[in-house]
Amino acid sequence: MPPETDSPIPPQSAVSLDVLALRFWPEDETIQLGITQRSADPFLGRLALPGVLLARGARLADDAHRAVTTKLDLPASAIRAVGQLITFDEPNRDPRGPTLSIAMWAVITSGSPSTHWFPLDAAPALAFDHNRIVADCRPLLAAKLWSDLPFTRALLGDSFSASRAVSATTSLRGEPPNAANLNRLMANIPSLTRTQDRARARPTGRPSTIWTWT
């Protein structure tokens, strides 16, 4: 029997990071998605998620920071937190050749004139397969809310009103939550406390309870 030989290494795919840059600022009714305009081919001038090719030896979180700071023109201090979602491996997703995309999330605390913001559920037509990335990652983000505490705290801030909790949950799930169930869910999070404070009511509403992280 002939000796075994090592199989030849097949051509390798490139690996990219595409980031869902999220904001939920006080003036926002829903969670917003940060989009950039591509400055190079392919899809020159098209809107796209901020993304970069993964650098050799780089950590995912580090390159997610690099994607946000370079493509959205933001300082590192504008990024509150980042995390990983899912990998997209369709071999024809990039016209330049096979490229895996690792989808990441990032919570953004400030913007720049070059950043285009759209409601998460109303993203425009995007380059590559980025609309699919947004659609497939939205339920993953919804599952993280209230279960992944670093993500939830980064998105909602150190304290937030009950009405903001409803808005964030609705934005990610696509439908309003049951208010009583949401209150019970928050009350069962050990590091989250319901305070005696109330947020200022809107003209058509009543004051909303303030929750804070301890």
Side-chain angles (χ1 to χ4, degrees):
M1 181 176 179
E4 293 184 359
T5 59
D6 292 335
S7 299
I9 298 175
Q12 293 179 312
S13 297
V15 179
S16 66
L17 266 69
D18 293 304
V19 183
L20 281 78
L22 308 173
R23 81 176 210 192
F24 190 46
W25 300 346
E27 65 269 25
D28 293 327
E29 294 289 340
T30 64
I31 295 171
Q32 303 282 311
L33 180 68
I35 301 296
T36 185
Q37 190 171 27
R38 286 188 56 77
S39 59
D41 285 325
F43 305 112
L44 174 66
R46 290 276 302 276
L47 295 177
L49 297 174
V52 294
L53 288 175
L54 182 66
R56 184 184 297 272
R59 304 295 296 270
L60 296 181
D62 293 337
D63 267 6
H65 277 79
R66 180 166 65 89
V68 170
T69 57
T70 58
K71 298 305 176 68
L72 298 183
D73 192 25
L74 295 175
S77 59
I79 305 171
R80 179 170 286 170
V82 300
Q84 184 177 351
L85 288 166
I86 191 174
T87 299
F88 293 83
D89 62 355
E90 166 57 49
N92 298 317
R93 58 174 304 276
D94 190 323
R96 293 167 294 187
T99 305
L100 300 178
S101 172
I102 302 174
M104 306 285 289
W105 61 265
V107 175
I108 308 301
T109 61
S110 64
S112 73
S114 61
T115 305
H116 304 270
W117 294 101
F118 296 90
L120 184 61
D121 60 355
L126 302 175
F128 303 102
D129 58 346
H130 289 184
N131 286 98
R132 179 193 170 189
I133 291 177
V134 173
D136 287 1
C137 287
R138 184 178 172 187
L140 302 179
L141 293 168
K144 282 183 172 294
L145 190 65
W146 311 117
S147 63
D148 183 328
L149 299 190
F151 169 75
T152 305
R153 183 168 183 170
L155 192 65
L156 287 165
D158 293 335
S159 63
F160 56 89
S161 67
S163 62
R164 292 275 288 171
V166 170
S167 296
T169 306
T170 302
S171 182
L172 290 178
R173 293 183 181 176
E175 60 182 10
N178 178 282
N181 289 342
L182 181 58
N183 277 329
R184 281 193 292 270
L185 175 62
M186 293 191 294
N188 287 327
I189 298 176
S191 56
L192 192 57
T193 300
R194 179 174 180 166
T195 73
Q196 299 301 314
D197 299 327
R198 296 290 185 272
R200 180 181 299 176
R202 294 182 179 180
T204 57
R206 59 182 183 180
S208 180
T209 303
I210 298 293
W211 294 75
T212 188
W213 300 95
T214 59

